[in-house]
Amino acid sequence: MTHLNSFNTPQTLYQKIWQRHLVSHQAEDAPAVLYIDRHLVHEVTSPQAFAGIQQRGLRLRRPDLTFATMDHSIPTLNQQSTWPDAQAAQQVAQLVENCKIFGVPLFGLDSVHQGIVHVMGPELGLTLPGSTIVCGDSHTATHGAFGALAFGIGTSEIEHVFATQCLLQFPSKTMAIEVSGQLPLGVSAKDLILAIIARIGVGGGTGYVLEYRGEAVRALSMEGRMTLCNMSIEAGARAGLIAPDDTTFHYLSGRPYAPQGKQWEDALSSWKQLPSDPDAVFDTTVHLNANTLEPMVTYGTNPEMALGISQSVPDPRQVADSQSRQGLEEALQYMGLTPGQPLVHQPVDVVFIGSCTNGRLEDLRAAAAIAREQRVAEGVRALVVPGSQQVKRQAEAEGLDEVFKRAGFEWREPGCSMCIAMNGDMVSPGQVCASTSNRNFKGRQGPGSRTLLMSPAMAAAAAVHGRLVDIRQDFSQSVLAAVASQGG
Amino acid sequence: MPEPVTYLEGTAAPLERNHVDTDQIIPARFLKGTVKQGLGACLFYDWRYRPNGPHAEPDLDPDFVLNQPAYAQAPFLVAGHNFGCGSSREHAPWALKDYGFQAILAISFADIFCNNALKNRLLPVALPEPVIRTLFLDLQSQPQQQRIQIEVDAQRVTFVPALSDGTETVAFALNPFWKTCLLKGVDEVGYTLSQADAIDAYETAQLPAWMIPPTLPASIAQ
Ligand code: SF4
């Protein structure tokens, strides 16, 4: 297999992965056929695709490259007992049945590897550099942290991959996001991605694959990188990538599904050729300086409506464009925020720490560093929902569950939970939720819910103060250093 | 085989909003089913209905555009920038189709939504901002009169703007492959299955051994 294209022109990471997966080239009136190395499946978007395969009288072409778990609609309390929601129970039962019929390995509720699909895949070593990964979920972009081309697909495409292990694709444009400098104390990968989305906008990445680059990105742990790539879709990009390096290889080595022995050596030499060539050309480049960033919080109803915690809620009267003004007015009205009000001191009713964005071990450690020896403020309901069984077990082994429980947080079973509010974990109408998830759309956390997105440390701080605070001011340097050493 | 889509005609409902996300199109709590049908009832649920407390049926919100009789039967929906952003749930186009929409006319679309819509023969038509603005105005002032024609083969939209005597015809972009799929009712799974030899060849020659996950002992897998 040759890794150079026929003209020997410098290539980006994206172009290299693309090229390595071409089953047939793109023609004028036909898309490329792209091979898919990993297909991750969950209960919500798969049933109609399995049914389609059944109707066609087909089998899965590669059940050995397909892996399933359940995460979206499962309860995070009493998973083994009777479920309150019969429809969710039926959907999960359908997944169990489908996996049995079609021979798909399933990490179900009885598995120590069950978890949010984007937390589980990397943990198991299923997510490999240079691979193509799809899942019927838009946050599949998470896996791009490993230098994998990973993107969300719809149910028709799930059926297509089931049948053919391929997808019909047209190439995307490439956007480099260059982040120089170092993230200051108290500022995390979550703050960085919120700043990036605020800069390029929720539609800014449409049609692009993003590649996050630069000193500040290289310095991130794998978990921080996953947080960054996770929210690429929130900027409209189907995929986000980070070139693999020693941090990546170190994380993967020894994971259950990672290659071993000679295959590990072969894989490594292949992976080392993946980073974008020095003079590769991107269609667009955006520069950010990490040194100037502060903890970020969203104030509106889409993720680009985000500001540094020291800022105040913007005033629609100062917005020239009438459409944008109207959008802002409507968002602030929904959120119950007043123009010009400082973001700090905004009270919160609920705190949610979890999701595929920030439900990994480092996130929980960062939140615990803030919550240690503290109490959740009176009247605040605070939930910690680990991203997977593995995260939960490791956190318990470190005693983080005790830190949270002593502080008055609820410690739950793994799942998507209040990120999407399908399983009964909901924010009540009008309540404000400090959330480490990825979407602040109207009603995302339950009808009438008001979501403020932020990092795990900021959310934990909001829980103990009952309002938004600037962790750089309200917590000592040593606590902030503890947060930083945990990645979050 | 999907039905071919060649020509569409009818009135439209103006949804004058940007960034209409999939959580608005169909809230996540309606995603627990296992079939595609019947989701029209859940379309824009939290915009169509006003909650009436946890135990009572919600009321229709008379202000929401789809609840106004003038737009009740419209086969087209007109919206602003970035329609369909957010999740990859195909329930969004299923719900729009099931409700009765055949095409969405917007300034721009989110990538995944656009893909999902085409696969369900719900036509995403991206039009220049001034055209969408004209349509908003016209549809709000004279809802019934505006008949929009969409020709897939010619890739054009024709309508009669209220403030002009003649018709306005605007071109829209459509990927040639998708156009063929729409016009001929191509089934994409069948299309790719017909390339099975190429897929076999790829798996034999190019799929690296290290890419194949090992089969784990049951003790680890569980
Ligand atoms: S945690 Fe939230 S965003 Fe992530 S997969 Fe689950 S529902 Fe989707």
Coordinates of all heavy atoms in Angstrom, one line a residue, chain A residues 71-72 116-118 137 139 355-356 416 419-420 438 444, ligand 1:
Chain A
D71 N -26.7 3.5 25.8 CA -26.3 4.7 26.6 C -27.4 5.8 26.7 O -27.6 6.4 27.7 CB -25.0 5.3 26.0 CG -25.1 5.5 24.5 OD1 -26.2 5.4 23.9 OD2 -24.0 5.9 23.9
H72 N -28.1 6.0 25.6 CA -29.0 7.2 25.5 C -30.2 7.2 26.4 O -30.5 8.2 27.0 CB -29.4 7.5 24.0 CG -28.4 8.1 23.2 ND1 -27.2 7.5 22.8 CD2 -28.3 9.3 22.6 CE1 -26.5 8.3 22.0 NE2 -27.2 9.4 21.9
I116 N -21.2 5.4 27.6 CA -21.5 6.3 26.4 C -20.6 5.9 25.3 O -19.4 5.7 25.5 CB -21.3 7.8 26.8 CG1 -22.1 8.2 28.0 CG2 -21.7 8.6 25.6 CD1 -21.9 9.6 28.5
V117 N -21.2 5.7 24.1 CA -20.5 5.0 23.0 C -19.1 5.7 22.7 O -18.1 5.0 22.5 CB -21.4 5.0 21.8 CG1 -21.8 6.3 21.3 CG2 -20.8 4.2 20.7
H118 N -19.1 7.0 22.9 CA -17.8 7.7 22.6 C -16.8 7.7 23.8 O -15.7 8.2 23.6 CB -18.1 9.2 22.2 CG -19.2 9.2 21.1 ND1 -19.1 8.5 20.0 CD2 -20.3 9.9 21.1 CE1 -20.2 8.7 19.3 NE2 -21.0 9.6 20.0
D137 N -24.5 9.0 15.5 CA -24.5 10.0 16.6 C -23.5 11.0 16.2 O -22.4 10.7 15.8 CB -24.1 9.3 17.9 CG -24.2 10.3 19.1 OD1 -23.3 11.1 19.2 OD2 -25.2 10.2 19.8
H139 N -21.8 13.1 17.8 CA -20.6 13.4 18.6 C -19.5 12.3 18.4 O -18.5 12.2 19.1 CB -20.9 13.5 20.1 CG -21.7 14.8 20.3 ND1 -23.1 14.8 20.4 CD2 -21.3 16.1 20.3 CE1 -23.5 16.1 20.5 NE2 -22.4 16.9 20.4
S355 N -21.5 13.3 30.4 CA -21.7 13.3 29.0 C -20.4 12.8 28.3 O -19.3 12.7 28.9 CB -22.1 14.6 28.4 OG -21.0 15.5 28.2
C356 N -20.5 12.6 26.9 CA -19.4 12.2 26.1 C -18.4 13.4 26.0 O -17.3 13.2 25.5 CB -19.8 11.7 24.8 SG -20.7 12.9 23.8
C416 N -26.0 8.6 29.1 CA -26.1 10.0 28.6 C -26.9 10.9 29.5 O -26.6 12.1 29.6 CB -26.8 10.0 27.2 SG -25.8 9.1 26.0
C419 N -27.7 14.9 29.6 CA -27.3 15.6 28.4 C -28.4 15.7 27.4 O -28.5 16.7 26.7 CB -26.1 14.8 27.8 SG -25.6 15.4 26.2
I420 N -29.2 14.6 27.4 CA -30.2 14.6 26.3 C -31.6 14.3 26.9 O -32.6 14.4 26.2 CB -29.9 13.5 25.3 CG1 -30.8 13.6 24.0 CG2 -29.9 12.1 25.9 CD1 -30.3 12.8 22.9
N438 N -22.8 19.3 25.8 CA -22.3 20.0 24.6 C -23.4 20.8 23.9 O -23.1 21.5 23.0 CB -21.8 18.9 23.7 CG -22.7 17.7 23.6 OD1 -23.9 17.8 23.4 ND2 -22.1 16.5 23.9
R444 N -33.2 21.0 25.4 CA -32.3 19.9 25.3 C -32.3 19.0 26.6 O -32.3 17.8 26.6 CB -30.9 20.4 25.0 CG -29.8 19.3 25.1 CD -29.8 18.4 23.9 NE -28.7 17.5 23.9 CZ -28.4 16.6 23.0 NH1 -29.1 16.6 21.9 NH2 -27.4 15.8 23.1
Ligands
SF4_1 S1 -23.7 12.1 26.1 FE1 -25.1 13.5 25.1 S2 -24.1 14.2 23.2 FE2 -23.0 12.4 24.0 S3 -23.8 10.6 22.9 FE3 -25.0 10.9 24.8 S4 -26.7 12.1 24.3 FE4 -25.2 12.4 22.6

